[in-house]
Amino acid sequence: MRKTCLNSVLDLARRDARVVFVGSDLGVGTLDAFREELPDRFFMEGVAEQNLIGVAAGLAMEGYIPYVNTIATFLTRRCYEQVAVDLCMHRLPVRLIANGGGLVYAPLGPTHMAIEDMGIMRALPNMTVVAPCDAEEMARFMESTLELPGPCYIRLAKGGDRVVSEAAHGFEIGQGIQLRPEGEVALVATGIATTRALDAAEILTAQGIEAGVLHLHTVKPLDEARLLDLAGRARAVVTIEEHTLVGGLGSAVADLLVDRLPGTAPPLLRLGLPDAFPANYGGQDDLLALAGLTPEGIAASVGDFLDARRAA
Amino acid sequence: MSSNRDALLKRLRDEAVMIRRGLWRAFHNGGSGHVGGSSSAADMLSALYFHHLRLRPAEPDWPDRDRFVLSKGHANGGLVAALARAGFFPEDELDTFYGFESLLGMHPDIKCPGVEMSTGGLGHGLSIGLGMALGARLQAKEFRTIVMLGDGELQEGSNWEAAMHAAHLRLAELTAIVDYNKVQQSDHVGTLLGLEPLADKWRAFGWEVREIDGHDMEQIIDALDALPFVAEKPSLLVAHTVKGKGVGFAEDTYTWHMNMVTDEVYAEALAELGEPS
């Protein structure tokens, strides 16, 4: 997904002289082709994220579209005020390409795991937050980044993630994609959690529970119309994300249902990471399993939730 | 030649008086303001807006204009007084300071004609100016970028990231001015968290540095006229100034970093500032 994303930046740069790449101490091999082909618009800088965001803002003020790339935690936590003031307040078209969204960097420990990135980015006015589910969707998304007026946070997954999106779905920022037809339960997911949601839906179907899957590649702006439409018919809505339950997709959906369907919203189950810094290493899959975010774990949580509703 | 220079100096000194009168006017209408850091910058703002910067007040977004970023955004009273004098908007707008629908708040707002960037949180402007200067280089444009920094502001580490970066890029298109008035919000800078040796720090970071008296108009314009100080290095001007300069009771004291401006205080300030001769 990362390779696809960065190759897309080069493609966009070939077509549009406004595109510049700004990286922060990224390893050899990252965009060598960009450096060779368009050296004037390729900046590989040091580890100084506050400065990089400010520089990107200055370049954007001069008409450029900077694509800034580094590790997600450093692109969000380290320079939050610069992102808020320099980018969001001025509504500048800077693209933040965040490596290792969620638990990708499990072996590196909690300093490198972006468990609240979508929440803190979503909290900023004018910010767009996107988490594609696979490399092919990433490629389709990148096409739409040239003309997006404000800043955009792009959450990258590990890479080599199973492809579940289809070209026929297209890509429009802010528009959810119904990847599995609606059932009695509406599973709603973002990023690679969508793949797990699809697998969980298979398990649920085998258990006699029809579950649809709505993929929200865009967490902000939220596809409110589709969610409200869906919520009007579903017995339950379940959000699934590789993110803490503080401020992410589940929070966004909860806000929407509470605000817009007072008293009539279907029951909502939010699945995600606990409000805690990960205390284990291992791999992304291990930590997801610990949080119950395997297909089996998701299916079991949904089954238990529905049972409890029936009993109530 | 000499009489031209004398006329220029007189005009710039007169405008500096008007900028100081304007910032007191704005703060009086708002009820309070950052008198100290606005007043210390006033002579340099005069030289910038009435001599150095290439601008078109009737066309604020003129693409080839020089860029000026007030990174020490709390000195907005001084900036907007200069912008009003330069014709970016009517001087009467100063009477709306902090008003609900005003263009003018405590910190620079990009919705105000002539303001290049909204600032307020410290330590943002130098990186932004660096990006603008880089934009000029990439587009082979002639415009120059000047960023004004506060001394207390330099306690923010982001400035030093930008200082390193600009020198690494040999960005002679970029100039920074430090309004070194030695006083910050709650104390003297040297007492709270000293900056010395300030000029040597910037030299060590790879900048070409000059030091001037930031209230001596001849020194100010000579330094600005000499920009860039050398090719292939960013330029830094350390301007030694007096916080609250121009009104005795407000000078060199943190109590006038930000303070209330009552009718009595305002009258006293105007009397001391006087009118241009």
Side-chain angles (χ1 to χ4, degrees):
Chain A
M1 188 185 284
R2 177 176 170 220
K3 197 172 167 198
T4 303
C5 179
L6 297 181
N7 286 339
S8 299
V9 178
L10 176 55
D11 285 342
L12 296 172
R14 285 179 180 135
R15 278 187 271 146
D16 193 320
R18 297 173 299 170
V19 172
V20 297
F21 176 82
V22 182
S24 169
D25 191 20
L26 297 169
V28 178
T30 304
L31 283 176
D32 277 346
F34 199 135
R35 190 200 302 263
E36 283 163 25
E37 198 176 322
L38 301 167
D40 290 348
R41 287 189 277 140
F42 181 89
F43 300 95
M44 188 54 74
E45 305 301 339
V47 282
E49 294 81 5
Q50 296 180 75
N51 177 55
L52 283 195
I53 297 300
V55 170
L59 284 165
M61 289 297 290
E62 298 306 331
Y64 289 95
I65 306 174
Y67 286 72
V68 183
N69 181 213
T70 189
I71 290 173
T73 49
F74 310 144
L75 200 48
T76 53
R77 296 172 180 166
R78 185 74 178 212
C79 45
Y80 194 62
E81 189 179 272
Q82 279 78 8
V83 171
V85 174
D86 302 349
L87 304 188
C88 292
M89 218 168 85
H90 292 85
R91 215 161 181 240
L92 294 176
V94 174
R95 316 303 178 213
L96 304 175
I97 302 173
N99 295 350
L103 304 169
V104 168
Y105 289 130
L108 285 70
T111 55
H112 285 59
M113 280 187 265
I115 56 173
E116 82 301 332
D117 56 333
M118 295 194 294
I120 61 177
M121 290 293 110
R122 188 174 78 83
L124 297 172
N126 299 332
M127 180 62 90
T128 294
V129 177
V130 174
C133 62
D134 59 42
E136 292 186 12
E137 183 172 72
M138 174 63 78
R140 288 191 286 278
F141 157 65
M142 289 299 286
E143 282 297 312
S144 62
T145 58
L146 275 183
E147 302 308 328
L148 186 67
C152 181
Y153 179 73
I154 303 166
R155 192 191 220 214
L156 298 188
K158 188 172 186 175
D161 307 279
R162 198 171 99 213
V163 173
V164 294
S165 71
E166 294 170 24
H169 296 138
F171 194 103
E172 201 166 329
I173 290 170
Q175 297 288 310
I177 297 170
Q178 193 71 39
L179 281 181
R180 184 181 172 95
E182 284 180 48
E184 57 177 313
V185 181
L187 305 185
V188 179
T190 189
I192 58 121
T194 290
T195 305
R196 289 168 183 247
L198 288 165
D199 292 346
E202 290 284 345
I203 296 170
L204 288 165
T205 300
Q207 295 170 354
I209 302 168
E210 287 299 329
V213 176
L214 175 64
H215 170 51
L216 292 181
H217 46 65
T218 310
V219 173
K220 184 179 183 177
L222 200 64
D223 189 348
E224 297 187 348
R226 189 180 289 262
L227 276 165
L228 289 170
D229 182 52
L230 201 60
R233 287 188 294 273
R235 263 188 62 211
V237 174
V238 180
T239 60
I240 306 158
E241 61 193 309
E242 187 183 3
H243 188 277
T244 73
L245 291 177
V246 182
L249 174 68
S251 295
V253 172
D255 289 352
L256 177 76
L257 297 185
V258 167
D259 290 346
R260 302 284 293 278
L261 298 176
T264 64
L268 172 67
L269 171 64
R270 300 185 304 133
L271 300 178
L273 305 176
D275 180 20
F277 291 104
N280 297 84
Y281 296 102
Q284 181 186 22
D285 287 346
D286 298 320
L287 294 182
L288 283 168
L290 186 67
L293 295 177
T294 56
E296 297 75 17
I298 294 166
S301 295
V302 173
D304 290 349
F305 184 71
L306 293 177
D307 287 347
R309 296 299 108 189
R310 279 193 200 99
Chain B
M1 183 70 187
S2 164
S3 69
N4 279 352
R5 183 172 166 91
D6 288 346
L8 172 65
L9 288 168
K10 179 179 183 327
R11 175 161 188 243
L12 297 180
R13 288 173 185 136
D14 286 350
E15 287 298 344
V17 171
M18 294 310 295
I19 289 170
R20 287 195 171 90
R21 290 181 70 89
L23 69 90
W24 277 95
R25 172 181 172 179
F27 293 151
H28 173 246
N29 278 284
S32 66
H34 286 91
V35 168
S38 298
S39 302
S40 59
D43 297 298
M44 291 178 287
L45 289 169
S46 173
L48 287 165
Y49 279 91
F50 296 95
H51 173 62
H52 183 74
L53 297 173
R54 291 163 295 183
L55 302 166
R56 291 180 182 171
E59 190 187 350
D61 297 329
W62 174 44
D64 295 327
R65 73 196 182 280
D66 289 330
R67 273 56 162 171
F68 176 72
V69 176
L70 184 67
S71 192
K72 47 171 285 186
H74 54 282
N76 193 38
L79 175 63
V80 297
L83 291 173
R85 287 294 300 171
F88 282 90
F89 49 84
E91 286 185 80
D92 287 349
E93 186 71 22
L94 296 176
D95 296 334
T96 71
F97 206 71
Y98 300 159
F100 183 63
E101 293 186 319
S102 179
L103 294 171
L104 315 178
M106 188 178 281
H107 300 104
D109 189 323
I110 200 158
K111 73 185 176 200
C112 175
V115 169
E116 290 290 347
M117 201 77 190
S118 296
T119 54
L122 298 173
H124 290 238
L126 192 56
S127 298
I128 290 163
L130 195 167
M132 291 172 168
L134 196 53
R137 175 186 282 183
L138 291 178
Q139 297 172 69
K141 289 199 166 188
E142 296 288 314
F143 72 79
R144 298 191 46 77
T145 302
I146 295 185
V147 178
M148 183 177 279
L149 302 162
D151 47 7
E153 176 177 22
L154 293 180
Q155 293 160 357
E156 295 281 4
S158 52
N159 292 294
W160 302 99
E161 295 183 359
M164 247 193 299
H165 193 193
H168 181 76
L169 294 171
R170 298 185 165 81
L171 203 57
E173 295 88 340
L174 179 65
T175 297
I177 300 173
V178 178
D179 179 8
Y180 198 5
N181 61 36
K182 324 287 190 301
V183 178
Q184 59 190 102
Q185 181 165 274
S186 68
D187 211 331
H188 281 79
V189 175
T191 308
L192 209 65
L193 180 56
L195 301 172
E196 288 300 327
L198 183 60
D200 284 345
K201 282 193 174 93
W202 285 89
R203 285 189 189 101
F205 272 74
W207 290 57
E208 187 66 19
V209 179
R210 287 198 189 182
E211 294 190 70
I212 59 165
D213 175 343
H215 302 305
D216 182 319
M217 199 56 81
E218 289 199 82
Q219 290 188 34
I220 296 169
I221 62 171
D222 286 348
L224 293 176
D225 289 348
L227 289 172
F229 297 150
V230 293
E232 300 207 342
K233 274 189 185 182
S235 304
L236 182 86
L237 189 56
V238 177
H240 293 276
T241 58
V242 175
K243 190 116 172 174
K245 176 73 175 179
V247 174
F249 63 78
E251 289 187 353
D252 194 34
T253 170
Y254 64 84
T255 56
W256 277 94
H257 172 84
M258 155 92 183
N259 209 338
M260 311 292 281
V261 180
T262 60
D263 293 346
E264 296 72 27
V265 160
Y266 182 47
E268 212 178 316
L270 285 189
E272 187 169 342
L273 288 170
E275 301 274 355
S277 51

